[in-house]
Amino acid sequence: GQQLNQSPQSMFIQEGEDVSMNCTSSSIFNTWLWYKQDPGEGPVLLIALYKAGELTSNGRLTAQFGITRKDSFLNISASIPSDVGIYFCAGIFSGNTGKLIFGQGTTLQVKP
Amino acid sequence: DVKVTQSSRYLVKRTGEKVFLECVQDMDHENMFWYRQDPGLGLRLIYFSYDVKMKEKGDIPEGYSVSREKKERFSLILESASTNQTSMYLCASSSTYGYTFGSGTRLTVV
């Protein structure tokens, strides 16, 4: 099936540092989504991107939808311990019935 | 508060057993999905349904079936559980405005 390539696979950072992760695909997506999953819970939507080139912020989080609609990045500024979790990118591509295709996930650990 | 509820958080089943994973949503969403989550592989789509009694295969449907008799309920069935089906299973429902996930069922097949 279609795949999103997400990197890095894991990150271990110091509290206060900025974080950046990205996703790429060989397919064009109509919508890019970024989710966070806390341990023992389902993914929760952080940011949704609908237009090529769109830059959207949600508090300390910023995400951009690539111009080609084949990539996206997520930045977290001034990380805090509660940022710990798994971050997933997901895409919905043209002609789809609305199903999400997920990246492999980035596991973030923050050292206080 | 809108919800997607999965009936069990943890399940342990024996190889060869028939397993039912239940998912209920209270948002009147038409689309419902079943994913499995494995380390390093992200979430992979097993089956989805865009209406009652409708179903479509996702990327990894082998060994699974589904049932959608009512709009709010989407069941995942493992006809004969195998150890390689040990995983976290996540249900989701969606509308135009986005997806909502359940908390997941961690299934162990021994």
PDB file of all heavy atoms in Angstrom, chain A residues 3-35:
ATOM      1  N   GLN A   3       2.732   4.516   1.300  1.00  0.00           N
ATOM      2  CA  GLN A   3       3.500   4.683   2.522  1.00  0.00           C
ATOM      3  C   GLN A   3       3.992   6.104   2.672  1.00  0.00           C
ATOM      4  O   GLN A   3       4.261   6.804   1.689  1.00  0.00           O
ATOM      5  CB  GLN A   3       4.706   3.740   2.490  1.00  0.00           C
ATOM      6  CG  GLN A   3       4.366   2.314   2.861  1.00  0.00           C
ATOM      7  CD  GLN A   3       5.548   1.607   3.460  1.00  0.00           C
ATOM      8  OE1 GLN A   3       6.673   1.889   3.109  1.00  0.00           O
ATOM      9  NE2 GLN A   3       5.295   0.681   4.359  1.00  0.00           N
ATOM     10  N   LEU A   4       4.103   6.483   3.922  1.00  0.00           N
ATOM     11  CA  LEU A   4       4.764   7.725   4.274  1.00  0.00           C
ATOM     12  C   LEU A   4       6.047   7.370   4.994  1.00  0.00           C
ATOM     13  O   LEU A   4       6.062   6.491   5.847  1.00  0.00           O
ATOM     14  CB  LEU A   4       3.878   8.559   5.201  1.00  0.00           C
ATOM     15  CG  LEU A   4       2.539   9.032   4.666  1.00  0.00           C
ATOM     16  CD1 LEU A   4       1.843   9.887   5.705  1.00  0.00           C
ATOM     17  CD2 LEU A   4       2.719   9.800   3.374  1.00  0.00           C
ATOM     18  N   ASN A   5       7.125   8.042   4.637  1.00  0.00           N
ATOM     19  CA  ASN A   5       8.413   7.808   5.283  1.00  0.00           C
ATOM     20  C   ASN A   5       8.646   8.910   6.298  1.00  0.00           C
ATOM     21  O   ASN A   5       8.800  10.080   5.941  1.00  0.00           O
ATOM     22  CB  ASN A   5       9.523   7.790   4.241  1.00  0.00           C
ATOM     23  CG  ASN A   5       9.326   6.657   3.255  1.00  0.00           C
ATOM     24  OD1 ASN A   5       9.135   5.511   3.637  1.00  0.00           O
ATOM     25  ND2 ASN A   5       9.346   6.977   1.978  1.00  0.00           N
ATOM     26  N   GLN A   6       8.676   8.510   7.553  1.00  0.00           N
ATOM     27  CA  GLN A   6       8.794   9.481   8.645  1.00  0.00           C
ATOM     28  C   GLN A   6      10.155   9.355   9.301  1.00  0.00           C
ATOM     29  O   GLN A   6      10.632   8.241   9.547  1.00  0.00           O
ATOM     30  CB  GLN A   6       7.683   9.245   9.669  1.00  0.00           C
ATOM     31  CG  GLN A   6       7.638  10.261  10.789  1.00  0.00           C
ATOM     32  CD  GLN A   6       6.431  10.084  11.691  1.00  0.00           C
ATOM     33  OE1 GLN A   6       5.509   9.318  11.369  1.00  0.00           O
ATOM     34  NE2 GLN A   6       6.413  10.782  12.803  1.00  0.00           N
ATOM     35  N   SER A   7      10.760  10.501   9.606  1.00  0.00           N
ATOM     36  CA  SER A   7      12.056  10.474  10.289  1.00  0.00           C
ATOM     37  C   SER A   7      12.179  11.672  11.224  1.00  0.00           C
ATOM     38  O   SER A   7      11.528  12.703  11.012  1.00  0.00           O
ATOM     39  CB  SER A   7      13.194  10.497   9.266  1.00  0.00           C
ATOM     40  OG  SER A   7      13.171  11.709   8.537  1.00  0.00           O
ATOM     41  N   PRO A   8      12.988  11.553  12.275  1.00  0.00           N
ATOM     42  CA  PRO A   8      13.708  10.340  12.644  1.00  0.00           C
ATOM     43  C   PRO A   8      12.793   9.323  13.310  1.00  0.00           C
ATOM     44  O   PRO A   8      11.656   9.644  13.639  1.00  0.00           O
ATOM     45  CB  PRO A   8      14.746  10.863  13.641  1.00  0.00           C
ATOM     46  CG  PRO A   8      14.070  12.023  14.285  1.00  0.00           C
ATOM     47  CD  PRO A   8      13.250  12.666  13.210  1.00  0.00           C
ATOM     48  N   GLN A   9      13.277   8.136  13.520  1.00  0.00           N
ATOM     49  CA  GLN A   9      12.479   7.098  14.156  1.00  0.00           C
ATOM     50  C   GLN A   9      12.329   7.371  15.646  1.00  0.00           C
ATOM     51  O   GLN A   9      11.304   7.066  16.236  1.00  0.00           O
ATOM     52  CB  GLN A   9      13.131   5.738  13.935  1.00  0.00           C
ATOM     53  CG  GLN A   9      12.237   4.568  14.297  1.00  0.00           C
ATOM     54  CD  GLN A   9      12.832   3.250  13.826  1.00  0.00           C
ATOM     55  OE1 GLN A   9      14.029   3.141  13.569  1.00  0.00           O
ATOM     56  NE2 GLN A   9      11.997   2.234  13.723  1.00  0.00           N
ATOM     57  N   SER A  10      13.387   7.941  16.251  1.00  0.00           N
ATOM     58  CA  SER A  10      13.312   8.278  17.672  1.00  0.00           C
ATOM     59  C   SER A  10      14.224   9.457  17.961  1.00  0.00           C
ATOM     60  O   SER A  10      15.169   9.733  17.219  1.00  0.00           O
ATOM     61  CB  SER A  10      13.695   7.077  18.537  1.00  0.00           C
ATOM     62  OG  SER A  10      15.025   6.704  18.304  1.00  0.00           O
ATOM     63  N   MET A  11      13.887  10.161  19.044  1.00  0.00           N
ATOM     64  CA  MET A  11      14.680  11.306  19.467  1.00  0.00           C
ATOM     65  C   MET A  11      14.723  11.339  20.986  1.00  0.00           C
ATOM     66  O   MET A  11      13.698  11.088  21.650  1.00  0.00           O
ATOM     67  CB  MET A  11      14.072  12.620  18.967  1.00  0.00           C
ATOM     68  CG  MET A  11      13.892  12.720  17.479  1.00  0.00           C
ATOM     69  SD  MET A  11      13.158  14.290  17.003  1.00  0.00           S
ATOM     70  CE  MET A  11      14.570  15.363  17.200  1.00  0.00           C
ATOM     71  N   PHE A  12      15.890  11.674  21.503  1.00  0.00           N
ATOM     72  CA  PHE A  12      16.054  11.823  22.949  1.00  0.00           C
ATOM     73  C   PHE A  12      16.682  13.185  23.162  1.00  0.00           C
ATOM     74  O   PHE A  12      17.836  13.411  22.789  1.00  0.00           O
ATOM     75  CB  PHE A  12      16.941  10.700  23.496  1.00  0.00           C
ATOM     76  CG  PHE A  12      16.976  10.654  24.992  1.00  0.00           C
ATOM     77  CD1 PHE A  12      16.045   9.914  25.689  1.00  0.00           C
ATOM     78  CD2 PHE A  12      17.939  11.352  25.702  1.00  0.00           C
ATOM     79  CE1 PHE A  12      16.059   9.862  27.072  1.00  0.00           C
ATOM     80  CE2 PHE A  12      17.961  11.305  27.085  1.00  0.00           C
ATOM     81  CZ  PHE A  12      17.026  10.564  27.772  1.00  0.00           C
ATOM     82  N   ILE A  13      15.925  14.108  23.733  1.00  0.00           N
ATOM     83  CA  ILE A  13      16.404  15.489  23.816  1.00  0.00           C
ATOM     84  C   ILE A  13      16.306  16.011  25.239  1.00  0.00           C
ATOM     85  O   ILE A  13      15.640  15.413  26.106  1.00  0.00           O
ATOM     86  CB  ILE A  13      15.583  16.401  22.878  1.00  0.00           C
ATOM     87  CG1 ILE A  13      14.120  16.410  23.311  1.00  0.00           C
ATOM     88  CG2 ILE A  13      15.731  15.974  21.432  1.00  0.00           C
ATOM     89  CD1 ILE A  13      13.316  17.465  22.633  1.00  0.00           C
ATOM     90  N   GLN A  14      16.949  17.147  25.453  1.00  0.00           N
ATOM     91  CA  GLN A  14      16.914  17.825  26.738  1.00  0.00           C
ATOM     92  C   GLN A  14      15.712  18.769  26.773  1.00  0.00           C
ATOM     93  O   GLN A  14      15.352  19.388  25.751  1.00  0.00           O
ATOM     94  CB  GLN A  14      18.201  18.630  26.909  1.00  0.00           C
ATOM     95  CG  GLN A  14      18.501  19.079  28.312  1.00  0.00           C
ATOM     96  CD  GLN A  14      19.047  17.955  29.175  1.00  0.00           C
ATOM     97  OE1 GLN A  14      19.744  17.069  28.692  1.00  0.00           O
ATOM     98  NE2 GLN A  14      18.727  17.994  30.455  1.00  0.00           N
ATOM     99  N   GLU A  15      15.102  18.864  27.937  1.00  0.00           N
ATOM    100  CA  GLU A  15      13.998  19.810  28.101  1.00  0.00           C
ATOM    101  C   GLU A  15      14.440  21.201  27.656  1.00  0.00           C
ATOM    102  O   GLU A  15      15.548  21.642  27.952  1.00  0.00           O
ATOM    103  CB  GLU A  15      13.559  19.844  29.566  1.00  0.00           C
ATOM    104  CG  GLU A  15      12.386  20.760  29.846  1.00  0.00           C
ATOM    105  CD  GLU A  15      11.945  20.715  31.292  1.00  0.00           C
ATOM    106  OE1 GLU A  15      12.565  19.968  32.078  1.00  0.00           O
ATOM    107  OE2 GLU A  15      10.980  21.423  31.644  1.00  0.00           O
ATOM    108  N   GLY A  16      13.567  21.879  26.920  1.00  0.00           N
ATOM    109  CA  GLY A  16      13.885  23.223  26.435  1.00  0.00           C
ATOM    110  C   GLY A  16      14.394  23.258  25.009  1.00  0.00           C
ATOM    111  O   GLY A  16      14.372  24.320  24.363  1.00  0.00           O
ATOM    112  N   GLU A  17      14.841  22.120  24.511  1.00  0.00           N
ATOM    113  CA  GLU A  17      15.328  22.071  23.131  1.00  0.00           C
ATOM    114  C   GLU A  17      14.158  22.086  22.140  1.00  0.00           C
ATOM    115  O   GLU A  17      13.035  21.707  22.474  1.00  0.00           O
ATOM    116  CB  GLU A  17      16.158  20.807  22.894  1.00  0.00           C
ATOM    117  CG  GLU A  17      17.505  20.803  23.557  1.00  0.00           C
ATOM    118  CD  GLU A  17      18.316  19.570  23.207  1.00  0.00           C
ATOM    119  OE1 GLU A  17      17.863  18.775  22.365  1.00  0.00           O
ATOM    120  OE2 GLU A  17      19.403  19.397  23.779  1.00  0.00           O
ATOM    121  N   ASP A  18      14.475  22.504  20.931  1.00  0.00           N
ATOM    122  CA  ASP A  18      13.493  22.433  19.843  1.00  0.00           C
ATOM    123  C   ASP A  18      13.603  21.084  19.144  1.00  0.00           C
ATOM    124  O   ASP A  18      14.670  20.458  19.120  1.00  0.00           O
ATOM    125  CB  ASP A  18      13.727  23.552  18.832  1.00  0.00           C
ATOM    126  CG  ASP A  18      13.524  24.929  19.444  1.00  0.00           C
ATOM    127  OD1 ASP A  18      12.875  25.033  20.515  1.00  0.00           O
ATOM    128  OD2 ASP A  18      14.018  25.903  18.844  1.00  0.00           O
ATOM    129  N   VAL A  19      12.494  20.649  18.564  1.00  0.00           N
ATOM    130  CA  VAL A  19      12.420  19.342  17.910  1.00  0.00           C
ATOM    131  C   VAL A  19      11.879  19.526  16.500  1.00  0.00           C
ATOM    132  O   VAL A  19      10.987  20.353  16.281  1.00  0.00           O
ATOM    133  CB  VAL A  19      11.474  18.408  18.694  1.00  0.00           C
ATOM    134  CG1 VAL A  19      11.226  17.111  17.934  1.00  0.00           C
ATOM    135  CG2 VAL A  19      12.001  18.129  20.073  1.00  0.00           C
ATOM    136  N   SER A  20      12.406  18.743  15.573  1.00  0.00           N
ATOM    137  CA  SER A  20      11.885  18.770  14.209  1.00  0.00           C
ATOM    138  C   SER A  20      11.789  17.355  13.664  1.00  0.00           C
ATOM    139  O   SER A  20      12.699  16.552  13.836  1.00  0.00           O
ATOM    140  CB  SER A  20      12.785  19.611  13.309  1.00  0.00           C
ATOM    141  OG  SER A  20      12.214  19.720  12.025  1.00  0.00           O
ATOM    142  N   MET A  21      10.677  17.044  13.043  1.00  0.00           N
ATOM    143  CA  MET A  21      10.502  15.740  12.408  1.00  0.00           C
ATOM    144  C   MET A  21       9.785  15.944  11.079  1.00  0.00           C
ATOM    145  O   MET A  21       9.099  16.971  10.894  1.00  0.00           O
ATOM    146  CB  MET A  21       9.715  14.784  13.314  1.00  0.00           C
ATOM    147  CG  MET A  21       8.364  15.283  13.733  1.00  0.00           C
ATOM    148  SD  MET A  21       7.643  14.299  15.075  1.00  0.00           S
ATOM    149  CE  MET A  21       8.477  14.959  16.513  1.00  0.00           C
ATOM    150  N   ASN A  22       9.957  14.993  10.161  1.00  0.00           N
ATOM    151  CA  ASN A  22       9.338  15.206   8.858  1.00  0.00           C
ATOM    152  C   ASN A  22       8.856  13.915   8.227  1.00  0.00           C
ATOM    153  O   ASN A  22       9.234  12.816   8.652  1.00  0.00           O
ATOM    154  CB  ASN A  22      10.306  15.933   7.920  1.00  0.00           C
ATOM    155  CG  ASN A  22      11.473  15.054   7.544  1.00  0.00           C
ATOM    156  OD1 ASN A  22      11.396  14.238   6.647  1.00  0.00           O
ATOM    157  ND2 ASN A  22      12.563  15.197   8.262  1.00  0.00           N
ATOM    158  N   CYS A  23       8.026  14.098   7.229  1.00  0.00           N
ATOM    159  CA  CYS A  23       7.466  12.976   6.480  1.00  0.00           C
ATOM    160  C   CYS A  23       7.544  13.262   4.995  1.00  0.00           C
ATOM    161  O   CYS A  23       7.299  14.394   4.554  1.00  0.00           O
ATOM    162  CB  CYS A  23       6.000  12.759   6.838  1.00  0.00           C
ATOM    163  SG  CYS A  23       5.758  11.696   8.242  1.00  0.00           S
ATOM    164  N   THR A  24       7.863  12.233   4.227  1.00  0.00           N
ATOM    165  CA  THR A  24       7.878  12.362   2.775  1.00  0.00           C
ATOM    166  C   THR A  24       7.123  11.202   2.148  1.00  0.00           C
ATOM    167  O   THR A  24       6.969  10.138   2.759  1.00  0.00           O
ATOM    168  CB  THR A  24       9.314  12.383   2.224  1.00  0.00           C
ATOM    169  OG1 THR A  24       9.953  11.157   2.573  1.00  0.00           O
ATOM    170  CG2 THR A  24      10.100  13.550   2.775  1.00  0.00           C
ATOM    171  N   SER A  25       6.672  11.428   0.923  1.00  0.00           N
ATOM    172  CA  SER A  25       5.943  10.395   0.212  1.00  0.00           C
ATOM    173  C   SER A  25       6.171  10.544  -1.278  1.00  0.00           C
ATOM    174  O   SER A  25       6.494  11.636  -1.754  1.00  0.00           O
ATOM    175  CB  SER A  25       4.451  10.497   0.520  1.00  0.00           C
ATOM    176  OG  SER A  25       3.715   9.593  -0.282  1.00  0.00           O
ATOM    177  N   SER A  26       6.018   9.471  -2.003  1.00  0.00           N
ATOM    178  CA  SER A  26       6.093   9.552  -3.453  1.00  0.00           C
ATOM    179  C   SER A  26       4.728   9.933  -4.045  1.00  0.00           C
ATOM    180  O   SER A  26       4.606  10.186  -5.243  1.00  0.00           O
ATOM    181  CB  SER A  26       6.539   8.205  -4.038  1.00  0.00           C
ATOM    182  OG  SER A  26       5.667   7.169  -3.625  1.00  0.00           O
ATOM    183  N   SER A  27       3.708   9.982  -3.195  1.00  0.00           N
ATOM    184  CA  SER A  27       2.345  10.305  -3.641  1.00  0.00           C
ATOM    185  C   SER A  27       1.954  11.704  -3.203  1.00  0.00           C
ATOM    186  O   SER A  27       2.476  12.230  -2.222  1.00  0.00           O
ATOM    187  CB  SER A  27       1.346   9.304  -3.056  1.00  0.00           C
ATOM    188  OG  SER A  27       1.668   7.994  -3.438  1.00  0.00           O
ATOM    189  N   ILE A  28       1.040  12.278  -3.932  1.00  0.00           N
ATOM    190  CA  ILE A  28       0.502  13.597  -3.589  1.00  0.00           C
ATOM    191  C   ILE A  28      -0.672  13.418  -2.633  1.00  0.00           C
ATOM    192  O   ILE A  28      -1.559  12.602  -2.883  1.00  0.00           O
ATOM    193  CB  ILE A  28       0.033  14.334  -4.858  1.00  0.00           C
ATOM    194  CG1 ILE A  28       1.245  14.691  -5.716  1.00  0.00           C
ATOM    195  CG2 ILE A  28      -0.757  15.585  -4.501  1.00  0.00           C
ATOM    196  CD1 ILE A  28       0.893  15.295  -7.062  1.00  0.00           C
ATOM    197  N   PHE A  29      -0.670  14.185  -1.565  1.00  0.00           N
ATOM    198  CA  PHE A  29      -1.749  14.112  -0.586  1.00  0.00           C
ATOM    199  C   PHE A  29      -2.589  15.381  -0.589  1.00  0.00           C
ATOM    200  O   PHE A  29      -2.076  16.479  -0.732  1.00  0.00           O
ATOM    201  CB  PHE A  29      -1.178  13.875   0.816  1.00  0.00           C
ATOM    202  CG  PHE A  29      -0.717  12.464   1.012  1.00  0.00           C
ATOM    203  CD1 PHE A  29       0.545  12.068   0.609  1.00  0.00           C
ATOM    204  CD2 PHE A  29      -1.553  11.526   1.586  1.00  0.00           C
ATOM    205  CE1 PHE A  29       0.968  10.750   0.773  1.00  0.00           C
ATOM    206  CE2 PHE A  29      -1.134  10.216   1.760  1.00  0.00           C
ATOM    207  CZ  PHE A  29       0.129   9.836   1.345  1.00  0.00           C
ATOM    208  N   ASN A  30      -3.888  15.197  -0.393  1.00  0.00           N
ATOM    209  CA  ASN A  30      -4.789  16.341  -0.255  1.00  0.00           C
ATOM    210  C   ASN A  30      -4.685  16.964   1.114  1.00  0.00           C
ATOM    211  O   ASN A  30      -4.868  18.166   1.286  1.00  0.00           O
ATOM    212  CB  ASN A  30      -6.241  15.899  -0.464  1.00  0.00           C
ATOM    213  CG  ASN A  30      -6.570  15.755  -1.931  1.00  0.00           C
ATOM    214  OD1 ASN A  30      -5.850  16.246  -2.789  1.00  0.00           O
ATOM    215  ND2 ASN A  30      -7.654  15.075  -2.206  1.00  0.00           N
ATOM    216  N   THR A  31      -4.469  16.132   2.104  1.00  0.00           N
ATOM    217  CA  THR A  31      -4.476  16.560   3.499  1.00  0.00           C
ATOM    218  C   THR A  31      -3.337  15.875   4.239  1.00  0.00           C
ATOM    219  O   THR A  31      -3.111  14.682   4.046  1.00  0.00           O
ATOM    220  CB  THR A  31      -5.809  16.181   4.177  1.00  0.00           C
ATOM    221  OG1 THR A  31      -6.897  16.773   3.470  1.00  0.00           O
ATOM    222  CG2 THR A  31      -5.844  16.636   5.624  1.00  0.00           C
ATOM    223  N   TRP A  32      -2.628  16.653   5.053  1.00  0.00           N
ATOM    224  CA  TRP A  32      -1.625  16.089   5.953  1.00  0.00           C
ATOM    225  C   TRP A  32      -2.079  16.345   7.383  1.00  0.00           C
ATOM    226  O   TRP A  32      -2.567  17.423   7.707  1.00  0.00           O
ATOM    227  CB  TRP A  32      -0.261  16.755   5.770  1.00  0.00           C
ATOM    228  CG  TRP A  32       0.515  16.249   4.605  1.00  0.00           C
ATOM    229  CD1 TRP A  32       0.426  16.684   3.323  1.00  0.00           C
ATOM    230  CD2 TRP A  32       1.520  15.233   4.615  1.00  0.00           C
ATOM    231  NE1 TRP A  32       1.313  16.000   2.529  1.00  0.00           N
ATOM    232  CE2 TRP A  32       1.994  15.101   3.289  1.00  0.00           C
ATOM    233  CE3 TRP A  32       2.075  14.421   5.607  1.00  0.00           C
ATOM    234  CZ2 TRP A  32       2.980  14.194   2.935  1.00  0.00           C
ATOM    235  CZ3 TRP A  32       3.060  13.520   5.254  1.00  0.00           C
ATOM    236  CH2 TRP A  32       3.507  13.408   3.936  1.00  0.00           C
ATOM    237  N   LEU A  33      -1.884  15.340   8.209  1.00  0.00           N
ATOM    238  CA  LEU A  33      -2.268  15.445   9.615  1.00  0.00           C
ATOM    239  C   LEU A  33      -1.103  15.020  10.484  1.00  0.00           C
ATOM    240  O   LEU A  33      -0.311  14.141  10.097  1.00  0.00           O
ATOM    241  CB  LEU A  33      -3.473  14.536   9.908  1.00  0.00           C
ATOM    242  CG  LEU A  33      -4.707  14.743   9.012  1.00  0.00           C
ATOM    243  CD1 LEU A  33      -5.699  13.606   9.215  1.00  0.00           C
ATOM    244  CD2 LEU A  33      -5.355  16.069   9.327  1.00  0.00           C
ATOM    245  N   TRP A  34      -0.992  15.647  11.637  1.00  0.00           N
ATOM    246  CA  TRP A  34       0.004  15.241  12.634  1.00  0.00           C
ATOM    247  C   TRP A  34      -0.730  14.847  13.910  1.00  0.00           C
ATOM    248  O   TRP A  34      -1.575  15.594  14.413  1.00  0.00           O
ATOM    249  CB  TRP A  34       0.993  16.365  12.924  1.00  0.00           C
ATOM    250  CG  TRP A  34       2.000  16.535  11.828  1.00  0.00           C
ATOM    251  CD1 TRP A  34       1.941  17.376  10.762  1.00  0.00           C
ATOM    252  CD2 TRP A  34       3.230  15.808  11.681  1.00  0.00           C
ATOM    253  NE1 TRP A  34       3.036  17.224   9.960  1.00  0.00           N
ATOM    254  CE2 TRP A  34       3.858  16.270  10.506  1.00  0.00           C
ATOM    255  CE3 TRP A  34       3.876  14.814  12.435  1.00  0.00           C
ATOM    256  CZ2 TRP A  34       5.087  15.778  10.056  1.00  0.00           C
ATOM    257  CZ3 TRP A  34       5.091  14.330  11.999  1.00  0.00           C
ATOM    258  CH2 TRP A  34       5.686  14.814  10.826  1.00  0.00           C
ATOM    259  N   TYR A  35      -0.377  13.644  14.411  1.00  0.00           N
ATOM    260  CA  TYR A  35      -0.990  13.098  15.615  1.00  0.00           C
ATOM    261  C   TYR A  35       0.070  12.855  16.675  1.00  0.00           C
ATOM    262  O   TYR A  35       1.234  12.604  16.367  1.00  0.00           O
ATOM    263  CB  TYR A  35      -1.654  11.741  15.317  1.00  0.00           C
ATOM    264  CG  TYR A  35      -2.955  11.806  14.567  1.00  0.00           C
ATOM    265  CD1 TYR A  35      -2.978  11.869  13.183  1.00  0.00           C
ATOM    266  CD2 TYR A  35      -4.167  11.790  15.252  1.00  0.00           C
ATOM    267  CE1 TYR A  35      -4.181  11.918  12.494  1.00  0.00           C
ATOM    268  CE2 TYR A  35      -5.371  11.839  14.569  1.00  0.00           C
ATOM    269  CZ  TYR A  35      -5.361  11.903  13.196  1.00  0.00           C
ATOM    270  OH  TYR A  35      -6.555  11.953  12.520  1.00  0.00           O
TER     271      TYR A  35
END
